[in-house]
Amino acid sequence: MPQLCVNIDHVATLRNARAGVEPEPITAMAMAELAGAFGIIVHLREDRRHIVDRDVVMIRDCTNTRLNLEMAATEEMQAIALDIKPETVCLVPEKRAELTTEGGLAVTGREEELKAYMQPLWDAGIETSLFVDADPAQVEAAAATGTQIVEIHTGHYADARSLDTVKAELGKVLAGIKLAQDLGLKVNLGHGLNYTNIFAFKDVPGIMEYSIGHSIISRAIFVGMDRAVGDMLDIIRTFKD
Ligand code: PXP
């Protein structure tokens, strides 16, 4: 069965809006885990706009599941990952001015550089995932780096509005999934997935994890974390293995 990993960044966004101590991401972590999440995801951004170092330390100490640390491929973040030792590191591109991660990592032409960057993480027993667009060249380059996992970017599909664009973007994601699987990579999906658009993947075999944040935290504001995570799990549990 595909698994659900819950990104709790936006609990920190709300907390930081008042520069205070509530709501705490660690509470969301505990509630997501109690509701059945397979893992917890946080993105420690260079500008610390939501998750801060303290959150990562606390979550690492207290998680009963798996921690996936999203981060840019910088020296600072590599040192933090080696210290914290999340189960997985997901490398993402980062631009200071962006509202959220806007696209996949540029891997083509950087295969050796990224491999060298990931080697110490692998040596420390950390699995790596590269967040890539469903572009065959990027998926092939990701496989060439030796990463164990790719997370295919579903944001363009999620943002598409006209039926034709939705179809076209979905087609790219499905082709990307197939290619990555054929290349022997484990495949995660993430970005912009919600309680409706995720159904497009119901019959797609071999997805390992769904990485979902914004839609779950948004729903949790109204119905609570337990039900928001539970509702998503109820959907994913009907999906093909
Ligand atoms: N995957 C990656 C690599 C991301 O950067 C994000 C956003 O932080 C997500 C998944 C989750 O996206 P969303 O919050 O839209 O569910």
Side-chain angles (χ1 to χ4, degrees):
M1 190 182 79
Q3 303 288 351
L4 172 63
C5 293
V6 179
N7 179 314
I8 56 175
D9 292 349
H10 294 306
V11 177
T13 305
L14 191 56
R15 174 194 61 194
N16 298 0
R18 284 291 172 94
V21 292
E22 66 176 8
E24 281 285 20
I26 187 107
T27 313
M29 174 211 80
M31 298 198 72
E33 290 186 339
L34 283 172
F38 180 74
I40 300 297
I41 304 176
V42 289
H43 183 175
L44 184 65
R45 297 184 74 105
E46 187 195 5
D47 62 9
R48 310 302 199 262
R49 70 171 71 154
H50 37 56
I51 294 292
V52 296
D53 300 59
R54 163 184 168 275
D55 297 322
V56 183
V57 172
M58 286 167 69
I59 289 165
R60 167 70 301 175
D61 275 356
C62 298
T63 182
N64 286 322
T65 59
R66 298 172 57 81
L67 175 61
N68 180 336
L69 179 63
E70 279 179 18
M71 56 184 227
T74 62
E75 269 183 40
E76 181 201 15
M77 289 299 154
Q78 189 190 49
I80 291 172
L82 289 172
D83 185 35
I84 294 286
K85 294 205 174 58
E87 277 72 21
T88 310
V89 157
C90 178
L91 295 180
V92 298
E94 227 175 79
K95 289 189 221 138
R96 267 188 179 256
E98 69 191 357
L99 274 181
T100 180
T101 314
E102 285 169 355
L105 196 66
V107 186
T108 49
R110 296 178 62 206
E111 294 87 342
E112 286 308 312
E113 178 201 332
L114 286 166
K115 184 178 185 172
Y117 183 87
M118 292 187 284
Q119 190 63 56
L121 302 173
W122 298 331
D123 292 344
I126 301 167
E127 267 195 322
T128 56
S129 172
L130 298 182
F131 181 60
V132 291
D133 284 331
D135 167 353
Q138 298 298 343
V139 174
E140 277 166 14
T145 66
T147 190
Q148 295 97 338
I149 308 164
V150 278
E151 180 177 325
I152 307 261
H153 183 209
T154 49
H156 302 306
Y157 155 67
D159 289 343
R161 287 294 162 261
S162 78
L163 214 62
D164 282 351
T165 342
V166 171
K167 262 178 136 175
E169 292 300 337
L170 179 60
K172 287 186 212 166
V173 174
L174 296 177
I177 294 169
K178 175 82 174 55
L179 175 61
Q181 290 172 337
D182 288 347
L183 291 166
L185 291 160
K186 295 185 206 167
V187 177
N188 295 346
L189 296 183
H191 217 285
L193 294 175
N194 61 32
Y195 297 82
T196 24
N197 64 21
I198 196 170
F199 278 99
F201 304 103
K202 187 180 190 336
D203 295 319
V204 179
I207 303 300
M208 193 173 74
E209 289 172 17
Y210 289 92
S211 161
I212 308 180
H214 192 266
S215 64
I216 291 180
I217 303 304
S218 301
R219 181 173 290 216
I221 288 173
F222 301 111
V223 304
M225 201 62 189
D226 185 54
R227 187 166 139 202
V229 173
D231 286 352
M232 190 61 85
L233 273 172
D234 285 346
I235 294 173
I236 291 175
R237 283 189 178 126
T238 66
F239 284 14
K240 205 177 183 124
D241 266 345

